[in-house]
Amino acid sequence: MTEQGRGPQNGLAHVNLVQAGSAGSAVTAASADDEYLTTDEVARRLRVHPTTILRRLGATDDPDPSRIPAVRVGRVWRIPRRDFEEWLTRSSQAPSASGRQRRLF
Protein backbone atom coordinates (compact mmCIF):
# COMPACT_ATOMS: atom_id res chain seq x y z
CA MET A 1 0.00 0.00 0.00
CA THR A 2 1.08 3.57 -0.59
CA GLU A 3 0.99 6.46 1.88
CA GLN A 4 -2.11 7.75 0.13
CA GLY A 5 -3.90 4.43 0.80
CA ARG A 6 -3.09 4.55 4.52
CA GLY A 7 -4.03 8.17 5.09
CA PRO A 8 -7.81 7.95 4.62
CA GLN A 9 -8.03 4.66 6.51
CA ASN A 10 -6.21 6.11 9.52
CA GLY A 11 -8.30 9.27 9.30
CA LEU A 12 -11.50 7.26 9.10
CA ALA A 13 -10.52 5.13 12.08
CA HIS A 14 -9.73 8.29 14.04
CA VAL A 15 -13.13 9.78 13.22
CA ASN A 16 -14.89 6.58 14.24
CA LEU A 17 -13.01 6.51 17.56
CA VAL A 18 -13.84 10.14 18.23
CA GLN A 19 -17.50 9.55 17.46
CA ALA A 20 -17.58 6.44 19.63
CA GLY A 21 -15.82 8.33 22.43
CA SER A 22 -18.28 11.21 22.34
CA ALA A 23 -21.25 8.84 22.32
CA GLY A 24 -19.78 6.88 25.23
CA SER A 25 -19.23 10.00 27.30
CA ALA A 26 -22.91 10.89 27.02
CA VAL A 27 -23.83 7.48 28.37
CA THR A 28 -21.38 7.65 31.28
CA ALA A 29 -22.26 11.19 32.37
CA ALA A 30 -22.80 11.17 36.13
CA SER A 31 -26.17 12.17 37.46
CA ALA A 32 -26.83 13.55 40.93
CA ASP A 33 -27.76 10.06 42.15
CA ASP A 34 -24.39 8.68 41.05
CA GLU A 35 -22.32 11.37 42.76
CA TYR A 36 -19.90 10.24 45.47
CA LEU A 37 -18.22 12.24 48.21
CA THR A 38 -14.73 11.68 49.55
CA THR A 39 -14.05 11.26 53.25
CA ASP A 40 -12.41 14.70 53.26
CA GLU A 41 -15.53 16.31 51.80
CA VAL A 42 -17.76 14.66 54.41
CA ALA A 43 -15.32 15.63 57.19
CA ARG A 44 -15.37 19.28 56.08
CA ARG A 45 -19.16 19.25 55.93
CA LEU A 46 -19.48 17.81 59.44
CA ARG A 47 -16.51 19.81 60.76
CA VAL A 48 -14.66 16.80 62.09
CA HIS A 49 -11.31 15.17 61.34
CA PRO A 50 -11.22 12.76 58.33
CA THR A 51 -10.07 9.97 60.66
CA THR A 52 -13.33 10.32 62.57
CA ILE A 53 -15.23 9.78 59.34
CA LEU A 54 -13.16 6.69 58.50
CA ARG A 55 -14.05 5.21 61.91
CA ARG A 56 -17.77 5.79 61.33
CA LEU A 57 -18.03 4.32 57.81
CA GLY A 58 -20.00 1.16 57.14
CA ALA A 59 -21.28 -0.76 54.16
CA THR A 60 -24.31 0.75 52.43
CA ASP A 61 -26.37 -2.25 53.51
CA ASP A 62 -25.16 -2.11 57.16
CA PRO A 63 -28.19 -2.15 59.50
CA ASP A 64 -26.40 -0.03 62.14
CA PRO A 65 -27.97 3.47 61.87
CA SER A 66 -24.93 5.14 63.42
CA ARG A 67 -22.70 4.09 60.51
CA ILE A 68 -22.24 6.39 57.53
CA PRO A 69 -23.14 4.40 54.39
CA ALA A 70 -20.11 4.03 52.12
CA VAL A 71 -18.60 1.96 49.34
CA ARG A 72 -14.99 0.89 49.23
CA VAL A 73 -13.28 1.33 45.88
CA GLY A 74 -9.89 -0.34 46.12
CA ARG A 75 -8.21 1.28 49.12
CA VAL A 76 -10.42 4.36 49.10
CA TRP A 77 -13.88 4.92 50.61
CA ARG A 78 -16.56 6.81 48.71
CA ILE A 79 -19.82 8.00 50.24
CA PRO A 80 -22.87 8.18 47.95
CA ARG A 81 -24.19 11.74 48.24
CA ARG A 82 -27.86 10.70 48.38
CA ASP A 83 -27.23 8.05 51.07
CA PHE A 84 -25.17 10.53 53.09
CA GLU A 85 -27.93 13.16 52.93
CA GLU A 86 -30.49 10.58 54.08
CA TRP A 87 -28.20 9.41 56.90
CA LEU A 88 -27.64 12.99 58.02
CA THR A 89 -31.39 13.67 58.06
CA ARG A 90 -32.09 10.49 60.06
CA SER A 91 -29.27 11.20 62.50
CA SER A 92 -30.39 14.74 63.19
CA GLN A 93 -34.05 13.72 63.66
CA ALA A 94 -33.41 10.84 66.07
CA PRO A 95 -34.96 11.57 69.48
CA SER A 96 -32.57 11.77 72.39
CA ALA A 97 -33.31 9.89 75.60
CA SER A 98 -32.03 12.58 77.95
CA GLY A 99 -33.65 15.56 76.21
CA ARG A 100 -30.27 17.01 75.27
CA GLN A 101 -29.00 17.34 71.76
CA ARG A 102 -27.74 14.02 70.42
CA ARG A 103 -24.10 13.85 69.38
CA LEU A 104 -23.39 12.41 65.95
CA PHE A 105 -19.90 11.35 67.00
Side-chain angles (χ1 to χ4, degrees):
M1 280 190 156
T2 64
E3 288 295 319
Q4 292 175 341
R6 290 186 204 168
Q9 290 175 352
N10 288 341
L12 182 61
H14 177 68
V15 170
N16 288 339
L17 289 176
V18 170
Q19 289 174 348
S22 64
S25 64
V27 172
T28 59
S31 67
D33 291 341
D34 296 338
E35 190 172 348
Y36 290 86
L37 302 171
T38 64
T39 53
D40 289 336
E41 291 170 334
V42 171
R44 277 194 305 267
R45 176 128 184 231
L46 297 177
R47 297 181 185 168
V48 297
H49 196 273
T51 304
T52 304
I53 299 301
L54 288 170
R55 291 180 184 146
R56 303 300 300 160
L57 295 178
T60 54
D61 58 353
D62 191 349
D64 186 359
S66 66
R67 295 283 184 193
I68 300 171
V71 177
R72 191 163 182 159
V73 181
R75 299 172 72 186
V76 180
W77 285 95
R78 294 288 184 244
I79 299 96
R81 180 182 293 277
R82 188 183 65 202
D83 291 346
F84 173 69
E85 299 290 342
E86 291 171 1
W87 173 85
L88 192 58
T89 302
R90 281 192 317 265
S91 296
S92 62
Q93 291 177 353
S96 61
S98 64
R100 296 186 309 184
Q101 186 175 0
R102 182 174 176 255
R103 290 179 54 183
L104 292 175
F105 297 103

